[in-house]
Amino acid sequence: MSKSIPPVVMTIAGSDSSGGAGIQADLKTFTALQCYGTSVVTALTAQSTAGVDAVHPAPPEFIQQQLRSVLGDMDVAAFKTGMLYDAAAARAVAASLRAFYAARADAPPLVVDPVCVSTSGHTLLAPDAVRVLAAELFPLAALVTPNIAEAELLLADVGTGASPQPESRINSLDGALRAARKLSALGARAVLLKGGHLAVSARDMRAFAASNAGAGAVRVDWAGSAHQNMEILRPDTDLDAGDNDAPLVVDVLYERGADAYTVFARPRLASRSTHGTGCTLSAAAACFLARGHTLADAVRAAGEFTHRAIATAAPLGKGAHGPLNHLHAIVPRCVPLPTAAAPYPFTALLIRSNAPVWKAYVEHQFVRQLGAGTLPRANFLHFIKQDYQYLRYYARAYGLLVAKARRFADVARAAETIQNVLREVTLHRAYCADALGVGEAELETGTPESPATAAYGAYLLDVGLHGDETKLLVALAACLLGYGEVGRWLAAEARRGADAWVVWAGNPYLKWMEDYAGAPYQAAVRTGLDLLERAAAEDPPSPRRLAEWTETWGKCTLLEKQFWDMAMDLS
C-alpha cells in the first residue's frame, strides 16, 4: 500500500520536564500537524507549571553530535531553535548548520525562537549568548519569532546584554512595526514580533487598519473583523455591548525582501493555559514552511493552531500558567488505516461487531446440508425462487448507489454490478428451467415474495434512500461478502481429504458451490472489499456514524441468516 512520506522537522531546544514547552511541545505540535519530529536537546530542565527549578546544559560537542546523527540519516525539511541557553550552544548549532549546508543552495527554512525568559520569569539565555544568537543564527533564519520582551532585549545593547532603554520599549502597534523592521537588519529574512504582551483593543485595531488602508506595504489580517462579513458568527452579547474595547492579540510579520508587513489580529483569550505558547507557534510555523507554505500563510496557520491550542486546553498543573492542548487538531480514527499486513481493517471491524450472527449466517444449516449434498430439493428450490425475487431489490439498490457515487469510476462499478445481476438472473432462469423444471413465468409472476425476502429488500431500499454512500455499501456487502465466505469455506472443507464433510464431486448443488468459490465471484469480493476500505479511509467516520454502519451491517447479516431460515422452513 502506498504511504505518503511526512516532512521531517527538527527542533533544537531544551527539554521541559512538565511537557508544556521545549522539545516536548515542539514534538507534539509536529505530530499534530502530521510532520515527523526529530530533536536535538540543548539542555535539560527541571520545571513545572510553577516555574523552572534547575537547568543542566548539554555540552556543545554533544549538541553537534546529535545534529550530525540526524542530518546524516534524514532529509530535514525545516528547523526550529528554541532554548539554546548559552553562547557555546548557540555557536555549536550555527556552526553545524553552516557546515552541513555550505555546499547547498537549498538549505531548509530555519525558524529561530530567541527564547530568553520562561513564562514564569526564569532566565533561559545567558547574557553573552544574545549577541551570538543575533550575529550567527539570525542570518541563517527564514523567520525569527521574538516576543515583546525578547525584541526589546535584542534591540538594546546586544553586545553587553544591558537592560532595554526607554527608547527601545515597544508599547504600540506602530512601535511594533518599527521594531520588527529594525530586528530584520540583524540578518533574518523575516521577523514575527509576537504581541501577546502588547495591550491592543478592537478600537485601536480599527484605527490602525483605517490609517493604513492605503498603504500597500501594510496588510491587516484580522480574524472576525467586520469587513469579512461574519457578523452572524459573533455572540449576541457582543452585538448588544459593542466590541470596541475587546482585547486582541496582535502579531506583526515583517518580510525584509518585500519590505512588507502583515499584521495578524485575533481575540485575546482569557486563559491561564499559555505555558509554551511561543514554542508551539514557532514549531507550527516550521511545519507549515516544511510543507511549502509562504511565510505569511505559515504564520497565519501557525497562529490559528496556537490560538485553538490555548482555547481548548484543560487546566492542568498548580502553577500560574498551564500547558496548551497541542493535540486539538488530532481526531482519533475509529477505523484503522489499511496496511499490507492488515489490508481490510474496516471489514474486520464489521465482522467482529456481530461475530455470532455472521457465523450463524455463513455456517447455516442450509449451507452445511448443501455442502454435504443432503439438502432437500424442495428447500433449495424455494431458496432459488426467492433469491430471484431478491435480486430485483439488489439491482435497485445498486441503482441508488449510482446516484450517490462521487466518481465516475464508482458509477461504472455500480453499473457493472447491475449488469452482473442481470447476467445472474439469466443464469437463474436457465438453471431453474434445466435442472429444476421451473419456467420463467413461474419465477416472474408465479412466485409470491416471502416475508423474509420482502423485509430484506425493503431494508436495502430504505438504506439506499436515506443513508450515505458508505452505509449503502455496507448494506450491500453483507450479501456479497457472505456468499464469498461461504464459497471459500465449502471449497476449503472439500479439500480436507478423508476428514472432509463437503461432497464436491457428484454433489447435486456443485454448480452453485463452484459459482461462489470460483475466481470471477471471488474477484468481485476483492473489489467490494477494496471499495469498503477506501470509503472508510477517505471519509473517516465519527463514533456515531460508525455505530450506524455497524448497526446496518448487523441488520443485513441477520436478514441474510433469516433468508436461509426461510429456505429451511419453506416459509
Side-chain angles (χ1 to χ4, degrees), residues 432-458:
C432 287
D434 297 342
L436 303 175
V438 177
E440 182 177 345
E442 185 176 351
L443 289 172
E444 287 287 346
T445 59
T447 303
E449 285 184 4
S450 75
T453 304
Y456 195 178

Side-chain angles (χ1 to χ4, degrees), residues 19-103:
I23 60 168
Q24 285 86 347
D26 295 341
L27 291 172
K28 283 184 274 191
T29 300
F30 295 165
T31 300
L33 295 175
Q34 299 183 23
C35 292
Y36 181 81
T38 60
S39 61
V40 170
V41 181
T42 59
L44 302 177
T45 69
Q47 65 176 296
S48 66
T49 59
V52 179
D53 299 314
V55 178
H56 182 69
E61 298 79 12
F62 185 64
I63 292 173
Q64 291 185 313
Q65 182 59 64
Q66 292 177 78
L67 275 160
R68 286 194 296 270
S69 295
V70 178
L71 293 179
D73 183 46
M74 295 187 185
D75 292 326
V76 176
F79 297 87
K80 72 143 288 187
T81 63
M83 172 191 174
L84 298 179
Y85 189 66
D86 59 21
R91 285 195 186 95
V93 171
S96 294
L97 294 179
R98 279 197 303 267
F100 190 83
Y101 292 105

Side-chain angles (χ1 to χ4, degrees), residues 15 64 86 144 159 177 180 220 237 249-250 275 277 294 313 316 320-321 356 408 424 434 466 510-511 535 559 569:
S15 168
Q64 291 185 313
D86 59 21
V144 176
L177 264 65
V220 175
T237 52
V249 173
V250 178
H275 175 56
T277 300
T294 65
L316 298 174
H321 302 283
F408 279 115
E424 187 175 352
D434 297 342
H466 300 109
L510 177 61
K511 185 178 185 310
L559 286 164
D569 298 341

Side-chain angles (χ1 to χ4, degrees), residues 350 390 394 397 456 459-460 463-464 469-480 532 549 552-553 556-557 560:
L350 291 175
Y390 166 78
Y394 197 67
Y456 195 178
Y459 183 69
L460 279 183
V463 172
E469 182 181 10
T470 304
K471 188 174 180 179
L472 181 52
L473 279 171
V474 168
L476 292 166
C479 175
L480 174 70
L532 266 182
W549 293 352
T552 298
W553 172 265
C556 286
T557 51
E560 284 287 351

Side-chain angles (χ1 to χ4, degrees), residues 66-157:
Q66 292 177 78
L67 275 160
R68 286 194 296 270
S69 295
V70 178
L71 293 179
D73 183 46
M74 295 187 185
D75 292 326
V76 176
F79 297 87
K80 72 143 288 187
T81 63
M83 172 191 174
L84 298 179
Y85 189 66
D86 59 21
R91 285 195 186 95
V93 171
S96 294
L97 294 179
R98 279 197 303 267
F100 190 83
Y101 292 105
R104 293 175 54 175
D106 59 340
L110 166 66
V111 178
V112 175
D113 183 13
V115 178
C116 299
V117 181
S118 70
T119 305
S120 60
H122 192 97
T123 299
L124 298 177
L125 186 67
D128 64 341
V130 177
R131 175 169 286 280
V132 175
L133 192 70
E136 298 198 31
L137 268 178
F138 281 19
L140 305 178
L143 180 67
V144 176
T145 62
N147 60 29
I148 295 291
E150 291 159 349
E152 290 175 344
L153 179 61
L154 288 162
L155 288 172
D157 187 353

Side-chain angles (χ1 to χ4, degrees), residues 327-383:
L327 305 184
H328 67 87
I330 294 180
V331 178
R333 278 187 174 272
C334 299
V335 180
L337 287 172
T339 65
Y344 306 117
F346 179 40
T347 310
L349 185 153
L350 291 175
I351 292 173
R352 285 195 299 268
S353 71
N354 73 332
V357 176
W358 172 258
K359 185 177 183 66
Y361 160 34
V362 298
E363 295 186 8
H364 198 278
Q365 272 303 113
F366 178 90
V367 176
R368 289 182 174 275
Q369 292 184 25
L370 183 147
T374 60
L375 181 70
R377 183 176 182 276
N379 297 96
F380 187 74
L381 180 60
H382 186 56
F383 162 74

Side-chain angles (χ1 to χ4, degrees), residues 174-260:
D174 290 328
L177 264 65
R178 290 191 296 270
R181 187 182 192 126
K182 287 180 182 178
L183 285 171
S184 74
L186 297 175
R189 295 200 296 276
V191 173
L192 176 66
L193 183 54
K194 299 174 294 189
H197 296 94
L198 191 64
V200 179
S201 69
R203 187 193 309 274
D204 299 330
M205 196 65 223
R206 287 195 181 92
F208 176 83
S211 65
N212 288 278
V218 179
R219 187 166 65 90
V220 175
D221 189 314
W222 184 1
S225 63
H227 73 273
Q228 290 182 328
N229 304 114
M230 296 187 188
E231 291 294 308
I232 57 172
L233 304 185
R234 292 169 56 196
D236 291 341
T237 52
D238 285 356
L239 296 175
D240 295 337
D243 63 352
N244 281 338
D245 296 324
L248 303 177
V249 173
V250 178
D251 300 327
V252 174
L253 174 67
Y254 176 71
E255 297 180 70
R256 184 159 52 92
D259 190 24

